[in-house]
Tab-separated table of all heavy atoms in Angstrom:
chain	number	residue	atom	x	y	z
A	1	ALA	N	-15.376	-87.260	6.407
A	1	ALA	CA	-14.499	-86.094	6.549
A	1	ALA	C	-15.246	-84.823	6.166
A	1	ALA	O	-15.085	-83.765	6.800
A	1	ALA	CB	-13.244	-86.276	5.689
A	2	ALA	N	-16.092	-84.904	5.123
A	2	ALA	CA	-16.858	-83.727	4.709
A	2	ALA	C	-17.863	-83.336	5.776
A	2	ALA	O	-18.062	-82.138	6.057
A	2	ALA	CB	-17.564	-84.012	3.386
A	3	LEU	N	-18.528	-84.349	6.406
A	3	LEU	CA	-19.471	-84.039	7.476
A	3	LEU	C	-18.758	-83.391	8.662
A	3	LEU	O	-19.296	-82.463	9.287
A	3	LEU	CB	-20.194	-85.313	7.931
A	3	LEU	CG	-21.185	-85.921	6.931
A	3	LEU	CD1	-21.776	-87.214	7.487
A	3	LEU	CD2	-22.294	-84.934	6.598
A	4	CYS	N	-17.533	-83.852	8.951
A	4	CYS	CA	-16.763	-83.233	10.038
A	4	CYS	C	-16.467	-81.777	9.708
A	4	CYS	O	-16.560	-80.884	10.562
A	4	CYS	CB	-15.467	-84.011	10.268
A	4	CYS	SG	-15.688	-85.629	11.016
A	5	GLY	N	-16.066	-81.527	8.428
A	5	GLY	CA	-15.755	-80.157	8.033
A	5	GLY	C	-16.952	-79.245	8.157
A	5	GLY	O	-16.824	-78.064	8.495
A	6	ASN	N	-18.147	-79.784	7.882
A	6	ASN	CA	-19.356	-78.972	7.965
A	6	ASN	C	-19.844	-78.798	9.400
A	6	ASN	O	-20.573	-77.851	9.710
A	6	ASN	CB	-20.460	-79.606	7.130
A	6	ASN	CG	-20.140	-79.583	5.649
A	6	ASN	OD1	-19.422	-78.690	5.184
A	6	ASN	ND2	-20.651	-80.565	4.925
A	7	THR	N	-19.484	-79.716	10.261
A	7	THR	CA	-19.996	-79.697	11.632
A	7	THR	C	-19.106	-78.896	12.564
A	7	THR	O	-19.597	-78.075	13.354
A	7	THR	CB	-20.139	-81.137	12.155
A	7	THR	OG1	-21.015	-81.875	11.294
A	7	THR	CG2	-20.677	-81.152	13.579
A	8	PHE	N	-17.820	-79.115	12.486
A	8	PHE	CA	-16.919	-78.457	13.433
A	8	PHE	C	-16.577	-77.042	12.976
A	8	PHE	O	-16.751	-76.672	11.807
A	8	PHE	CB	-15.652	-79.297	13.620
A	8	PHE	CG	-15.914	-80.620	14.282
A	8	PHE	CD1	-15.809	-81.812	13.573
A	8	PHE	CD2	-16.278	-80.669	15.624
A	8	PHE	CE1	-16.058	-83.020	14.184
A	8	PHE	CE2	-16.528	-81.894	16.240
A	8	PHE	CZ	-16.424	-83.068	15.522
A	9	ARG	N	-16.088	-76.305	13.930
A	9	ARG	CA	-15.768	-74.899	13.697
A	9	ARG	C	-14.417	-74.749	12.979
A	9	ARG	O	-13.616	-75.691	12.915
A	9	ARG	CB	-15.753	-74.162	15.029
A	9	ARG	CG	-17.072	-74.219	15.782
A	9	ARG	CD	-16.890	-73.910	17.245
A	9	ARG	NE	-15.957	-74.831	17.882
A	9	ARG	CZ	-15.694	-74.823	19.185
A	9	ARG	NH1	-16.281	-73.936	19.978
A	9	ARG	NH2	-14.840	-75.698	19.699
A	10	HIS	N	-14.151	-73.518	12.508
A	10	HIS	CA	-12.909	-73.262	11.783
A	10	HIS	C	-11.685	-73.437	12.684
A	10	HIS	O	-10.620	-73.886	12.225
A	10	HIS	CB	-12.923	-71.841	11.197
A	10	HIS	CG	-11.689	-71.498	10.415
A	10	HIS	ND1	-11.434	-72.042	9.171
A	10	HIS	CD2	-10.638	-70.692	10.713
A	10	HIS	CE1	-10.284	-71.576	8.728
A	10	HIS	NE2	-9.779	-70.756	9.644
A	11	ALA	N	-11.831	-73.118	13.954
A	11	ALA	CA	-10.694	-73.218	14.871
A	11	ALA	C	-10.451	-74.638	15.334
A	11	ALA	O	-9.394	-74.937	15.914
A	11	ALA	CB	-10.917	-72.318	16.081
A	12	ASP	N	-11.416	-75.549	15.110
A	12	ASP	CA	-11.247	-76.933	15.535
A	12	ASP	C	-10.300	-77.658	14.586
A	12	ASP	O	-10.280	-77.389	13.378
A	12	ASP	CB	-12.606	-77.640	15.573
A	12	ASP	CG	-13.561	-76.979	16.566
A	12	ASP	OD1	-13.049	-76.347	17.522
A	12	ASP	OD2	-14.788	-77.057	16.357
A	13	ILE	N	-9.561	-78.607	15.129
A	13	ILE	CA	-8.514	-79.288	14.364
A	13	ILE	C	-8.912	-80.749	14.237
A	13	ILE	O	-9.069	-81.461	15.245
A	13	ILE	CB	-7.157	-79.154	15.075
A	13	ILE	CG1	-6.806	-77.663	15.218
A	13	ILE	CG2	-6.079	-79.889	14.304
A	13	ILE	CD1	-5.758	-77.387	16.260
A	14	ILE	N	-9.066	-81.214	12.973
A	14	ILE	CA	-9.555	-82.556	12.679
A	14	ILE	C	-8.414	-83.352	12.058
A	14	ILE	O	-7.679	-82.850	11.203
A	14	ILE	CB	-10.760	-82.525	11.730
A	14	ILE	CG1	-11.803	-81.509	12.219
A	14	ILE	CG2	-11.375	-83.902	11.558
A	14	ILE	CD1	-12.893	-81.221	11.211
A	15	GLY	N	-8.247	-84.580	12.456
A	15	GLY	CA	-7.224	-85.429	11.882
A	15	GLY	C	-7.674	-86.853	11.747
A	15	GLY	O	-8.560	-87.328	12.470
A	16	ARG	N	-7.099	-87.543	10.748
A	16	ARG	CA	-7.341	-88.981	10.584
A	16	ARG	C	-6.149	-89.692	11.232
A	16	ARG	O	-5.036	-89.641	10.716
A	16	ARG	CB	-7.459	-89.339	9.106
A	16	ARG	CG	-7.749	-90.833	8.881
A	16	ARG	CD	-7.753	-91.152	7.383
A	16	ARG	NE	-7.984	-92.582	7.156
A	16	ARG	CZ	-7.827	-93.198	5.983
A	16	ARG	NH1	-7.438	-92.470	4.923
A	16	ARG	NH2	-8.062	-94.482	5.865
A	17	VAL	N	-6.384	-90.366	12.330
A	17	VAL	CA	-5.284	-90.941	13.103
A	17	VAL	C	-5.170	-92.450	12.916
A	17	VAL	O	-4.240	-93.074	13.452
A	17	VAL	CB	-5.469	-90.622	14.608
A	17	VAL	CG1	-5.388	-89.135	14.850
A	17	VAL	CG2	-6.779	-91.182	15.130
A	18	GLY	N	-6.075	-93.045	12.166
A	18	GLY	CA	-6.013	-94.474	11.878
A	18	GLY	C	-6.811	-94.782	10.645
A	18	GLY	O	-7.209	-93.881	9.895
A	19	GLY	N	-7.090	-96.092	10.377
A	19	GLY	CA	-7.824	-96.454	9.178
A	19	GLY	C	-9.180	-95.813	9.112
A	19	GLY	O	-9.497	-95.079	8.176
A	20	GLU	N	-10.052	-96.114	10.125
A	20	GLU	CA	-11.357	-95.479	10.187
A	20	GLU	C	-11.520	-94.694	11.466
A	20	GLU	O	-12.639	-94.383	11.889
A	20	GLU	CB	-12.474	-96.524	10.082
A	20	GLU	CG	-12.561	-97.489	11.242
A	20	GLU	CD	-11.643	-98.695	11.104
A	20	GLU	OE1	-10.730	-98.670	10.221
A	20	GLU	OE2	-11.824	-99.658	11.832
A	21	GLU	N	-10.363	-94.302	12.079
A	21	GLU	CA	-10.365	-93.605	13.358
A	21	GLU	C	-9.962	-92.147	13.134
A	21	GLU	O	-8.992	-91.855	12.430
A	21	GLU	CB	-9.404	-94.294	14.316
A	21	GLU	CG	-9.552	-93.845	15.751
A	21	GLU	CD	-8.690	-94.676	16.696
A	21	GLU	OE1	-7.835	-95.453	16.205
A	21	GLU	OE2	-8.854	-94.538	17.915
A	22	PHE	N	-10.695	-91.223	13.774
A	22	PHE	CA	-10.480	-89.789	13.589
A	22	PHE	C	-10.366	-89.132	14.953
A	22	PHE	O	-10.912	-89.634	15.952
A	22	PHE	CB	-11.627	-89.164	12.802
A	22	PHE	CG	-11.766	-89.685	11.409
A	22	PHE	CD1	-12.458	-90.876	11.173
A	22	PHE	CD2	-11.209	-89.005	10.342
A	22	PHE	CE1	-12.584	-91.375	9.892
A	22	PHE	CE2	-11.353	-89.508	9.055
A	22	PHE	CZ	-12.022	-90.689	8.822
A	23	GLY	N	-9.643	-87.977	15.007
A	23	GLY	CA	-9.536	-87.214	16.231
A	23	GLY	C	-9.843	-85.752	15.968
A	23	GLY	O	-9.639	-85.240	14.858
A	24	VAL	N	-10.351	-85.080	17.028
A	24	VAL	CA	-10.668	-83.657	16.896
A	24	VAL	C	-10.171	-82.951	18.145
A	24	VAL	O	-10.426	-83.413	19.270
A	24	VAL	CB	-12.182	-83.420	16.724
A	24	VAL	CG1	-12.459	-81.931	16.533
A	24	VAL	CG2	-12.746	-84.227	15.574
A	25	LEU	N	-9.462	-81.844	17.961
A	25	LEU	CA	-9.042	-80.961	19.050
A	25	LEU	C	-9.994	-79.780	19.061
A	25	LEU	O	-10.178	-79.105	18.028
A	25	LEU	CB	-7.596	-80.492	18.839
A	25	LEU	CG	-6.518	-81.591	18.787
A	25	LEU	CD1	-5.156	-81.000	18.408
A	25	LEU	CD2	-6.429	-82.295	20.123
A	26	LEU	N	-10.559	-79.502	20.226
A	26	LEU	CA	-11.569	-78.447	20.343
A	26	LEU	C	-11.077	-77.399	21.338
A	26	LEU	O	-11.355	-77.490	22.543
A	26	LEU	CB	-12.902	-79.044	20.805
A	26	LEU	CG	-13.460	-80.164	19.923
A	26	LEU	CD1	-14.525	-80.941	20.669
A	26	LEU	CD2	-14.011	-79.574	18.643
A	27	PRO	N	-10.303	-76.379	20.877
A	27	PRO	CA	-9.809	-75.346	21.781
A	27	PRO	C	-10.970	-74.509	22.326
A	27	PRO	O	-11.997	-74.313	21.656
A	27	PRO	CB	-8.869	-74.515	20.902
A	27	PRO	CG	-8.572	-75.371	19.726
A	27	PRO	CD	-9.791	-76.200	19.507
A	28	PHE	N	-10.771	-74.002	23.565
A	28	PHE	CA	-11.763	-73.133	24.200
A	28	PHE	C	-13.143	-73.799	24.246
A	28	PHE	O	-14.172	-73.145	24.077
A	28	PHE	CB	-11.852	-71.780	23.481
A	28	PHE	CG	-10.554	-71.034	23.391
A	28	PHE	CD1	-9.770	-71.128	22.247
A	28	PHE	CD2	-10.106	-70.258	24.452
A	28	PHE	CE1	-8.582	-70.443	22.164
A	28	PHE	CE2	-8.917	-69.594	24.363
A	28	PHE	CZ	-8.133	-69.676	23.233
A	29	THR	N	-13.158	-75.095	24.470
A	29	THR	CA	-14.427	-75.836	24.435
A	29	THR	C	-14.516	-76.723	25.683
A	29	THR	O	-13.613	-77.526	25.950
A	29	THR	CB	-14.506	-76.711	23.171
A	29	THR	OG1	-14.299	-75.895	22.028
A	29	THR	CG2	-15.863	-77.412	23.091
A	30	THR	N	-15.629	-76.562	26.375
A	30	THR	CA	-15.861	-77.397	27.560
A	30	THR	C	-16.340	-78.776	27.130
A	30	THR	O	-16.665	-78.998	25.946
A	30	THR	CB	-16.897	-76.750	28.475
A	30	THR	OG1	-18.143	-76.689	27.782
A	30	THR	CG2	-16.459	-75.353	28.911
């Protein structure tokens, strides 16, 4: 989770959707 916070942008939305499964929403991103 810390690596995700350091890697993704402030506008990106990170969530833990399962035990070891994570999702990221990347607005304005191709």
